[in-house]
Amino acid sequence: MQDSTEPVPPSSVLSHGGRVLPAVTVDTYNEELRDEDGFVGDRASGRAFRDILEDWRDKLRAQGEDPFGDTPTREISKSKLDKVLAAGDPLAAGLVHTAVEEFAVELATVVRRFLRLKDWHGTERIVVGGGLSASHIGELAMGRAAVLLAGENISVELKTISNHPDKAGLIGAVQLAPSWVLAGHDAILAADIGGTNLRLGVVDLKMKKKGDVSKAAVWKLLHWRHRDDEPTREEALERMAKMAQELIDLATAEKLKLAPFVGVGCPGLIDERGVIMSGGQNLPGNWEGEGFNLAHELTHRLPRLEGHEPVVVMHNDAVVQGLSEVPNMTDVRRWGVLTVGTGLGNARFTNRTDERSPS
């Protein structure tokens, strides 16, 4: 096997971490804003919401009235919190509302800071994704943040991501490849690697006419919560390869023609060789730096697809999740995405409708 630092040969339109994609230009992504307390984005992460909820539970415990009893905050599911808002007792509902309100203030603050960045100027719409956005508490926090921003005459539209976040991080991968790569095929393999979960799926292109992937949808999805198993990097790679093979076998049985292209979203700053330069600290094992090339490692673990060695193209996971919204952004030109997960992912896009596309 060749040294893992050797890059997979990219082409001008199939490069890792690409800034010019078929439908959009990626103006910026993975911005790490800081203030005196650390990373600004950490104030609007899923972990931050849990910290806020725990803080208010501590205050209630001091009065002997915690409605969640002895259940650790990290074990209270988003669906449980949604139910409390809908039909819980007044104290429990009030507790969740208070946490949502405080989190909304933090989210509005983070949005405000991003909009100050040069590459975020002129942003017309921000899509909020990540796990929290798929819950009622997340939607409520986003709505409240939008009201707070409007009250400050900040003109930006906030919307939740259209597809479920678990699927959006796979669907967006179809936007990493020009249409000629996908032509004549039914689907692609895609991977969404996060700090807690890893998802692999087959994305049905649903191309009714040439080059139109606006209806792309996840056909099959496999999920692994790797944080529970604490695997080594090698174990994680082998598990990914087995999941991919299972999906390939399912697609073959259904006579779905998989394109020899695999789109991968993962945290961090990705260079043109497929090296994670920074931001991969939550992945299992050490995935950062010159000594490891994820695209190269995956290529050598995957079988040939339709007789060809697959081309693995990597990009930041927030970018890929945001790309799932391309079909819904025809009425704006400049838009962004914030993904509320283990951390806060971010990306800003400009549509290329007025430019010559590389597809």
Side-chain angles (χ1 to χ4, degrees):
M1 182 179 291
Q2 295 171 299
D3 182 73
S4 65
T5 60
E6 180 183 333
V8 177
S11 70
S12 60
V13 292
L14 282 175
S15 59
H16 308 293
R19 294 303 182 112
V20 180
L21 301 177
V24 299
T25 298
V26 183
D27 301 310
T28 185
Y29 74 92
N30 200 51
E31 292 280 2
E32 296 183 338
L33 301 180
R34 294 175 181 268
D35 61 14
E36 62 276 7
D37 297 320
F39 290 114
V40 172
D42 288 345
R43 296 166 61 176
S45 66
R47 185 179 297 141
F49 176 79
R50 297 284 173 176
D51 289 344
I52 292 169
L53 181 60
E54 176 66 19
D55 182 57
W56 283 103
R57 288 184 69 192
D58 282 342
K59 293 172 182 177
L60 288 177
R61 288 187 196 111
Q63 306 298 321
E65 295 187 273
D66 182 359
F68 291 107
D70 296 329
T71 305
T73 297
R74 67 180 181 277
E75 295 180 10
I76 304 174
S77 67
K78 294 187 290 288
S79 60
K80 171 66 174 178
L81 295 174
D82 285 347
K83 290 176 182 177
V84 166
L85 281 181
D89 71 81
L91 183 63
L95 168 61
V96 177
H97 266 293
T98 301
V100 168
E101 172 68 19
E102 186 169 324
F103 181 78
V105 172
E106 298 292 353
L107 179 58
T109 299
V110 170
V111 170
R112 195 183 306 114
R113 284 291 303 273
F114 272 102
L115 293 177
R116 290 177 187 165
L117 295 175
K118 179 181 178 181
D119 288 330
W120 277 73
H121 285 178
T123 301
E124 301 160 73
R125 182 179 298 156
I126 297 176
V127 178
V128 180
L132 196 66
S133 69
S135 64
H136 180 56
I137 56 171
E139 292 175 344
L140 189 60
M142 188 197 66
R144 182 65 180 123
V147 171
L148 292 171
L149 292 168
E152 299 174 19
N153 292 319
I154 296 175
S155 180
V156 65
E157 181 183 5
L158 294 186
K159 295 185 67 174
T160 53
I161 204 158
S162 301
N163 295 287
H164 191 284
D166 291 356
K167 297 181 178 181
L170 301 174
I171 293 171
V174 303
Q175 301 289 344
L176 294 175
S179 60
W180 58 262
V181 172
L182 308 178
H185 299 92
D186 302 315
I188 67 165
L189 274 177
D192 181 13
I193 308 168
T196 300
N197 300 287
L198 187 154
R199 296 177 179 87
L200 263 74
V202 173
V203 181
D204 189 340
L205 300 174
K206 296 184 180 291
M207 277 198 283
K208 301 299 182 183
K209 58 182 180 179
K210 184 178 178 180
D212 181 11
V213 292
S214 62
K215 304 299 182 184
V218 173
W219 176 71
K220 292 290 182 184
L221 184 153
L222 298 179
H223 169 237
W224 174 34
R225 187 178 167 88
H226 64 75
R227 177 166 285 188
D228 293 341
D229 297 339
E230 299 182 351
T232 64
R233 186 175 73 190
E234 185 65 22
E235 289 170 342
L237 289 168
E238 290 300 321
R239 179 71 175 266
M240 287 180 68
K242 288 180 180 178
M243 292 168 72
Q245 186 61 62
E246 182 178 346
L247 290 167
I248 292 168
D249 291 343
L250 289 170
T252 301
E254 290 295 319
K255 295 183 170 52
L256 282 177
K257 294 179 64 178
L258 289 174
F261 168 85
V262 181
V264 177
C266 66
L269 187 65
I270 317 297
D271 79 359
E272 68 279 359
R273 300 164 298 166
V275 173
I276 304 173
M277 301 303 294
S278 63
Q281 63 272 13
N282 291 320
L283 299 176
N286 181 16
W287 295 44
E288 288 184 6
E290 301 289 341
F292 179 68
N293 187 299
L294 175 59
H296 182 81
E297 293 290 345
L298 285 179
T299 298
H300 283 274
R301 285 173 167 81
L302 295 174
R304 296 174 75 85
L305 298 173
E306 295 293 312
H308 301 280
E309 183 177 85
V311 175
V312 177
V313 175
M314 292 172 53
H315 217 310
N316 174 267
D317 53 354
V319 169
V320 179
Q321 192 168 144
L323 290 174
S324 69
E325 288 293 309
V326 164
N328 303 317
M329 295 296 163
T330 57
D331 59 330
V332 294
R333 180 163 174 77
R334 299 176 181 87
W335 53 284
V337 62
L338 298 176
T339 59
V340 183
T342 306
L344 184 77
N346 59 86
R348 217 297 287 265
F349 307 97
T350 298
N351 290 338
R352 302 187 64 234
T353 51
D354 298 329
E355 303 176 30
R356 183 177 178 180
S357 170
S359 62

